[in-house]
Amino acid sequence: MKENRKSNKAINYQELLRPFNISIEDYTETVAVVRQLACALLQLTDKEVQEQAEKDENFGTQLYARIFARTSYIELEHELQATDFSSNLAMTGEKYPSLAADVITLLASRCKLRLTKSQYEKILRYYYLRLAVNQHLNLSRIKKAQDIVTSDIFDSFMLAGRIKEALNSSAAGKLLDIGTGAGIPGIILAILLPELTCDLLDTVRKKLAFLDFVCRDLQLPCNLLWQRVEDYAHSQARHSYNFVVARAVSSLPTLLEYSLPLVKIGSFCFCLKTTNEPELSAAKLRNLLGALSLPPAVYSLPPAAQANFPRQIMAYRQVASVASTYPRLHNLPRTRMLEIAQELS
């Protein structure tokens, strides 16, 4: 009980309630109101919330992540309404329709994916939503309409094609997008591969608020996770995903230390990187983490893309459990990546 109380105090309940225009001084009453909101957002009874929390130690984290995302979503929605969001979206759609439509059609053919009308329209809608919202919120370093299509959406399609191949040898299941940011590749994968349950993880609340907005608008059943990946990898989510994907989050050795502990034994991890990044130190680390390297998929972006270097999808299959010491906490996979590589030499 003491641990739960300590954990509760770490959460700023007043901040959670502020967007709902609710102000309560009493701590116990504040917690009760937050629980009621959580039940409403997840459409569960209070008893069902308690039962699920007892079964899954990570349920509480997901619960509060949804509240944080929802409250940020309300703030974001107010901002967009104040700046005539619908007008911006219509203007964006009129300005860039042909480029996105043409590239999406070309990508579907190249990746051997048959798009339904609904999938095609949802991808275009995501494209327009991102352009409009990015005028008010820094979602990604990629801001130009052309680059969103020829880089972000292009990468997502190529990854979807690679996952589609892997699905032939793996039952459809759960996918985790680490450091999803503006929803790349997770949102596009959720549209293209509806047979997968997609979880989108990030540490930036405003970005998750945007993704909450997108998922509601496009009716995508994605789960939003507001948490550090190294903490998440030490929860019940460990070795539970059929596919873990990461794109340009960090160096390859760091990505593997974050990702592989979350991959189910016999399942896959895909990292999107450039071909000019060496895999030598990553190879030593992946052996330690119980993964086998698969042939990478190398491709080039369209000529219109800002980046002119080839891309590759690094693929790994998890064959053994990862030691409980990994991933290391306190940001060590990033700050001391070279140390572990030297120890393995």
Side-chain angles (χ1 to χ4, degrees):
M1 289 298 294
K2 288 184 179 179
E3 290 184 359
N4 290 337
R5 179 70 174 180
K6 183 178 180 181
S7 175
N8 286 341
K9 283 187 176 180
I11 299 171
N12 189 333
Y13 286 100
Q14 294 298 335
E15 184 181 356
L16 281 175
L17 295 177
R18 180 172 52 80
F20 295 96
N21 293 321
I22 299 174
S23 178
I24 304 173
E25 293 184 3
D26 181 69
Y27 173 83
T28 303
E29 186 178 354
T30 302
V31 174
V33 172
V34 170
R35 285 178 64 90
Q36 292 173 12
L37 288 171
C39 292
L41 291 172
L42 296 179
Q43 297 183 337
L44 298 172
T45 65
D46 187 64
K47 182 179 180 180
E48 288 172 329
V49 169
Q50 291 182 30
E51 289 175 350
Q52 290 199 27
E54 291 174 359
K55 293 178 182 178
D56 183 2
E57 67 177 16
N58 194 54
F59 179 73
T61 301
Q62 296 181 14
L63 188 68
Y64 290 117
R66 287 289 299 275
I67 300 175
F68 274 122
R70 181 58 183 159
T71 54
S72 293
Y73 163 77
I74 292 173
E75 292 176 334
L76 177 61
E77 188 177 47
H78 289 166
E79 289 178 21
L80 295 175
Q81 287 176 348
T83 54
D84 194 4
F85 171 73
S86 59
S87 175
N88 286 341
L89 185 60
M91 178 185 68
T92 302
E94 292 173 1
K95 191 174 182 181
Y96 305 108
S98 59
L99 171 66
D102 291 347
V103 173
I104 290 172
T105 302
L106 175 65
L107 281 171
S109 175
R110 177 171 174 176
C111 300
K112 299 180 181 179
L113 296 169
R114 293 184 178 180
L115 294 188
T116 65
K117 180 182 179 183
S118 175
Q119 288 174 317
Y120 178 82
E121 290 176 346
K122 283 182 178 180
I123 293 172
L124 277 179
R125 177 73 176 175
Y126 163 77
Y127 167 69
Y128 297 150
L129 282 170
R130 181 168 158 186
L131 281 174
V133 173
N134 212 51
Q135 298 177 35
H136 311 279
L137 180 66
N138 184 23
L139 295 172
S140 168
R141 61 180 178 79
I142 298 177
K143 303 181 184 301
K144 295 181 180 179
Q146 175 176 289
D147 294 334
I148 291 174
V149 176
T150 59
S151 181
D152 281 359
I153 294 179
F154 195 102
D155 278 341
S156 300
F157 264 81
M158 297 304 293
L159 181 56
R162 185 68 181 85
I163 292 176
K164 196 73 174 177
E165 294 174 3
L167 279 171
N168 294 328
S169 59
S170 175
K174 295 168 58 182
L175 178 145
L176 174 66
D177 179 12
I178 294 176
T180 187
I184 296 295
I187 289 292
I188 304 299
L189 294 178
I191 296 172
L192 295 177
L193 304 170
E195 61 268 41
L196 294 176
T197 299
C198 294
D199 292 353
L200 312 180
L201 184 147
D202 207 281
T203 58
V204 182
R205 284 174 53 191
K206 279 286 188 178
K207 292 180 180 180
L208 287 176
F210 165 71
L211 295 181
D212 184 53
F213 186 97
V214 169
C215 289
R216 290 170 184 273
D217 187 86
L218 302 183
Q219 298 182 343
L220 296 175
C222 297
N223 298 312
L224 305 180
L225 304 173
W226 182 55
Q227 195 169 5
R228 295 179 66 88
V229 64
E230 55 265 48
D231 295 327
Y232 189 57
H234 287 284
S235 71
Q236 288 188 355
R238 193 175 184 85
H239 288 312
S240 67
Y241 285 93
N242 302 87
F243 300 97
V244 174
V245 301
R247 175 177 179 266
V249 175
S250 190
S251 64
L252 189 55
T254 301
L255 278 184
L256 293 182
E257 187 171 348
Y258 283 149
S259 304
L260 294 178
L262 289 158
V263 180
K264 192 175 181 179
I265 306 300
S267 295
F268 303 90
C269 172
F270 296 110
C271 300
L272 284 81
K273 307 300 291 181
T274 63
T275 54
N276 61 3
E277 181 171 336
E279 207 257 348
L280 182 60
S281 58
K284 297 174 182 177
L285 183 58
R286 66 165 167 76
N287 289 336
L288 174 70
L289 299 177
L292 293 177
S293 179
L294 303 176
V298 181
Y299 61 96
S300 296
L301 296 178
Q306 185 178 19
N308 57 5
F309 41 77
R311 300 282 240 271
Q312 61 182 335
I313 300 174
M314 308 297 296
Y316 304 91
R317 187 169 190 140
Q318 194 68 24
V319 295
S321 297
V322 177
S324 60
T325 51
Y326 300 103
R328 293 164 294 163
L329 301 177
H330 310 300
N331 211 28
L332 292 181
R334 292 178 185 268
T335 60
R336 297 188 180 178
M337 179 263 298
L338 294 179
E339 289 184 14
I340 193 169
Q342 291 171 356
E343 291 175 7
L344 295 172
S345 299

